[in-house]
Amino acid sequence: MTELVHTRAELAKARAGLAGTVGVVMTMGALHPGHETLIRAARERADHVLVTIFVNPLQFGPNEDFDRYPRTLDTDLEVCRRAGADLVFAPAVADMYPDGQPTVRVNPGELGEELEGQSRPGFFHGVLTVVLKLLQLTRPDFTFFGEKDYQQLTLVRRMARDLDVPVEVVGVPTVREPDGLALSSRNRYLSADERQVALGLSAALRAGAAAAERGADAGDVLAAAHRALGATPGARLDYLVLTDPDLEPGPVAGPARLLIAAWVGGTRLIDNLAIRLAPRS
Ligand code: PAF
């Protein structure tokens, strides 16, 4: 049985009835098998699973897709039920922000201004603020975030550490279509032709990873990724970067992260992959 609650009071009452450990999966709805994997990961780790569904206005820029972001509560509830969630919290904007836009927000620091933050000013202030509020309201032992939004996962981990939030942040690997496309709620904006173009992002990451496996250095890894992206023209590249696993600038050897963001038509897509750079002699 999956219980649906909308208000803070209902949530508090339902949460009080959950004995044992609680895992929270935060979403903006439009749930797909990637979210289902997060819920199942929570199911394996915690006694109870709580899913939040809230399209957070604070993390959308003025020209972004807040109004047209898909809202599909009925089918989302089906996914939650199937994946074994105990409780779904789907508040209205007025429940989350009863005093209007909060004047105090979480500052993500320098990393929040880079990569996604550079293209989407204020994005991570909005994300971390709502994540912290949802953590306060749900008081979980674990919270599960997809690696697909790798910068978000990194910043949530950092926030929990820096602000002593008593929760374990668990990263869950990206779920992909058989042809490599990373699952995203925004994929539903893509036409059939755009979807073909979008495959260039994961192809670029795979080409970079393959080059790294052959012993290529950082420059050659990036060059291989750029070449692969160029092979499926049509994507407007925002960034393609190689960082260390904590998103600090360029590693020369060892574990690294290759991250890409690009526009395909009117849709901005992101993806990333863990790679390992060979030791340099
Ligand atoms: O990844 C998302 O869907 C959102 O950024 C999150 C974490 C639910 C906060 O609104």
Side-chain angles (χ1 to χ4, degrees):
M1 239 287 279
T2 305
E3 188 183 355
L4 170 66
V5 295
H6 292 289
T7 68
R8 287 161 180 257
E10 288 168 349
L11 172 66
K13 189 160 170 252
R15 173 67 182 85
L18 300 180
T21 57
V22 171
V24 163
V25 176
M26 296 179 194
T27 79
M28 297 206 299
L31 302 187
H32 52 63
H35 295 110
E36 205 170 322
T37 302
L38 290 176
I39 299 170
R40 290 188 195 281
R43 180 77 279 162
E44 276 181 20
R45 190 77 193 273
D47 297 324
H48 300 284
V49 178
L50 199 164
V51 177
T52 68
I53 299 179
F54 179 61
V55 185
N56 173 33
L58 232 55
Q59 68 190 74
F60 288 79
N63 299 317
E64 292 187 354
D65 54 346
F66 175 72
D67 287 332
R68 74 173 179 131
Y69 198 85
R71 286 152 171 95
T72 56
L73 186 59
D74 288 343
T75 46
D76 291 347
L77 286 175
E78 277 312 306
V79 175
C80 291
R81 271 192 202 109
R82 201 166 57 226
D86 299 283
L87 183 59
V88 174
F89 177 47
V93 172
D95 281 298
M96 283 305 289
Y97 301 116
D99 302 319
Q101 298 247 330
T103 51
V104 176
R105 299 181 189 204
V106 178
N107 183 343
E110 269 178 29
L111 178 56
E113 310 299 329
E114 294 163 18
L115 303 171
E116 288 306 286
Q118 193 158 34
S119 298
R120 308 179 68 186
F123 173 64
F124 285 117
H125 292 75
V127 169
L128 293 187
T129 301
V130 82
V131 168
L132 186 59
K133 281 168 72 75
L134 288 168
L135 289 172
Q136 310 273 34
L137 290 170
T138 58
R139 292 177 291 103
D141 300 276
F142 315 103
T143 183
F144 297 79
F145 283 84
E147 287 185 355
K148 151 77 172 36
D149 297 301
Y150 193 75
Q151 190 176 6
Q152 169 171 281
L153 167 64
T154 304
L155 281 167
V156 171
R157 278 206 173 111
R158 204 168 279 188
M159 173 178 78
R161 214 167 49 232
D162 287 353
L163 302 185
D164 294 309
V165 186
V167 68
E168 183 181 334
V169 181
V170 182
V172 178
T174 302
V175 180
R176 297 180 181 279
E177 302 275 12
D179 58 11
L181 186 69
L183 296 193
S184 161
S185 302
R186 289 189 167 100
N187 289 353
R188 65 182 74 195
Y189 298 153
L190 300 171
S191 67
D193 287 350
E194 287 172 342
R195 196 188 172 287
Q196 282 305 113
V197 173
L199 290 177
L201 276 80
S202 53
L205 297 177
R206 279 199 311 275
E213 268 168 38
R214 290 193 301 270
D217 65 14
D220 287 342
V221 166
L222 285 170
H226 275 286
R227 267 197 309 278
L229 187 67
T232 41
R236 240 177 336 116
L237 185 63
D238 186 347
Y239 60 75
L240 175 57
V241 294
L242 193 54
T243 69
D244 86 352
D246 294 325
L247 296 181
E248 299 297 337
V252 269
R257 206 89 197 175
L258 188 56
L259 301 105
I260 189 168
W263 285 91
V264 176
T267 307
R268 191 167 176 284
L269 299 173
I270 59 174
D271 199 353
N272 69 87
L273 210 57
I275 68 165
R276 174 169 284 276
L277 290 169
R280 309 265 43 104
S281 47

